[in-house]
Amino acid sequence: MRSTDSMPERLITPLIIIALVLGTLWALHSINSSSVTPVPVPSVASLVPDMIPLVTGDEPITEIFTKAGCAVCHTVPGISGADGRVGPPLLLGVTGPRRLVDPSYRGHAQSVHQYVIESVIEPGVFVVAGYPDHTMPTWYGVKLSALALEKIASYLELQGIPVAP
Ligand code: HEC
């Protein structure tokens, strides 16, 4: 009688220990997996509005392009780190005039400067042939100040023009 009564008692202690060990392992595992948050390396996937700080336009020109994430997708002459290939190289001094006379252009820009601003705020207005639509973020209007947009346009409209000998 006594021996059958004590059986479960002897089993309970190891069971509690096993439960505690498993619980600790589980807790450690969830702490580990949540604390190993990846370092935010700029990538196409991380280009969500929450990750992009407001660009005031007071930054140096390189910082304007890198902070806004343009560099991830575009190659921009003179901007170190801007070697992205998702979108076209930003040589608007050469490509801009071609866009404006393109028969499929339906935008409102009257100059390359305006075309750049339009392309940044409303990328869907004209989709460059050979490049994906719905890829360039559509929320730059709320992330770039008017000054930042002006500086971007003033910089890009000169790119790609061969320097006179
Ligand atoms: C996630 C990738 C991505 C990011 C980030 C991005 N773009 Fe683009 N962009 C594209 C793609 C793809 C196109 C081509 C398709 C189109 O015209 O919408 C494009 C097109 C453009 C064009 C038109 C180019 C031409 O040759 O007519 C301009 C100008 C431009 N982007 C500027 C910018 C600027 C400035 C930024 C940052 C403020 C930026 N883009 C950020 C992907 C991106």
Side-chain angles (χ1 to χ4, degrees):
M1 195 59 195
R2 205 172 140 57
S3 64
T4 43
D5 273 354
S6 61
M7 262 306 266
E9 266 170 46
R10 266 192 279 138
L11 277 173
I12 279 169
T13 319
L15 278 178
I16 289 173
I17 291 170
I18 288 168
L20 282 175
V21 168
L22 285 178
T24 313
L25 285 176
W26 180 80
L28 280 175
H29 173 78
S30 42
I31 288 169
N32 266 343
S33 48
S34 62
S35 65
V36 185
T37 31
V39 182
V41 177
S43 69
V44 176
S46 73
L47 284 172
V48 286
D50 291 350
M51 303 282 290
I52 303 294
L54 189 71
V55 181
T56 64
D58 293 322
E59 304 87 345
I61 190 74
T62 297
E63 207 179 310
I64 293 181
F65 284 108
T66 47
K67 216 173 156 185
C70 322
V72 175
C73 291
H74 290 286
T75 297
V76 189
I79 305 296
S80 72
D83 51 9
R85 285 164 192 276
V86 179
L90 298 181
L91 306 169
L92 276 297
V94 172
T95 54
R98 290 186 206 152
R99 310 293 184 233
L100 296 175
V101 297
D102 191 306
S104 61
Y105 178 65
R106 299 276 178 275
H108 301 288
Q110 302 292 317
S111 64
V112 173
H113 192 91
Q114 290 174 3
Y115 171 75
V116 172
I117 293 178
E118 184 181 71
S119 300
V120 175
I121 295 181
E122 291 180 88
V125 168
F126 180 80
V127 179
V128 179
Y131 290 92
D133 194 4
H134 306 293
T135 302
M136 180 155 159
T138 51
W139 36 255
Y140 276 129
V142 295
K143 286 295 178 180
L144 302 173
S145 72
L147 179 62
L149 274 171
E150 276 302 310
K151 287 192 175 173
I152 287 173
S154 300
Y155 186 86
L156 292 182
E157 68 185 336
L158 299 177
Q159 300 311 311
I161 302 173
V163 183

